[in-house]
Amino acid sequence: AGANLAAVVALRALEEGVRGPCGVVMFYPALFVHPSPSPSRVIAIMDPLLPLGTLQMVVDAYAGRFLKKYGEDMRRVHEDKGAKVQLSAALRRRFHHLSPLLAPDELLKRLPACAVMASELDPLLDDSIMFVRRMRKLGREKDVMLKVASCLPHGWLNMYFIGDKSALDASK
């Protein structure tokens, strides 16, 4: 939730014309809040820290009613890159305030530099990859960085504090 919030705050600052952050740092972000299947979600079905059932409960608590009403529209915007889906401007803003991956190109082109830290065994890994890939397609190669920690689950940074060696190494 923290990485999603950081991305949304940066997008909102751009929309409101106020000074936003100089950069956005996101650790294992949820950038497409939608119960859609993806390779990383399927692979991580038995993730010890964020199993698929828990991920679904979190998504339902965070946006369940909104997704019941607009989830299909969000999926279509994501798949069609928004080109063919007719929605009000206010509803489109709500989509990317929930899922920054759905932000329009003109906003993402102005987003400050982003550092994304993901983990190989995270159900949200594909969100990070899709976001970074989209930023790069918009010509933001120098402004976006992705680092994927190998063999670690979602929330691996919490393991740093209990002395897990792989989490310690990945945090360097």
Side-chain angles (χ1 to χ4, degrees), residues 22 111-115 132 135-146:
C22 296
L111 198 64
C114 296
V132 169
M135 292 286 282
R136 289 179 177 161
K137 282 183 181 176
L138 293 171
R140 304 291 309 276
E141 297 89 1
K142 294 180 182 175
D143 299 319
V144 65
M145 181 213 62
L146 173 65

Side-chain angles (χ1 to χ4, degrees), residues 5-24 26 93 96-97 100 103-114 131 135 138 140 143:
L5 178 62
V8 172
V9 165
L11 291 169
R12 288 291 306 266
L14 291 170
E15 290 173 319
E16 301 297 326
V18 298
R19 183 171 183 238
C22 296
V24 181
M26 298 178 275
R93 274 192 304 278
H96 68 259
H97 292 166
D105 290 349
E106 53 273 7
L107 266 181
L108 290 179
K109 286 178 183 177
R110 297 177 18 226
L111 198 64
C114 296
F131 180 79
M135 292 286 282
L138 293 171
R140 304 291 309 276
D143 299 319

Side-chain angles (χ1 to χ4, degrees), residues 122-154:
D122 187 352
L124 303 176
L125 173 62
D126 293 332
D127 291 25
S128 297
I129 292 169
M130 288 185 292
F131 180 79
V132 169
R133 190 176 288 160
R134 184 145 177 243
M135 292 286 282
R136 289 179 177 161
K137 282 183 181 176
L138 293 171
R140 304 291 309 276
E141 297 89 1
K142 294 180 182 175
D143 299 319
V144 65
M145 181 213 62
L146 173 65
K147 182 174 180 187
V148 179
S150 62
C151 300
L152 290 172
H154 181 86

Side-chain angles (χ1 to χ4, degrees), residues 27 117 147 149-153 155-172:
F27 285 85
M117 184 70 188
K147 182 174 180 187
S150 62
C151 300
L152 290 172
W156 63 267
L157 197 56
N158 295 314
M159 296 175 198
Y160 175 86
F161 300 107
I162 60 170
D164 181 271
K165 177 138 177 48
S166 56
L168 290 170
D169 292 342
S171 66
K172 293 179 181 174

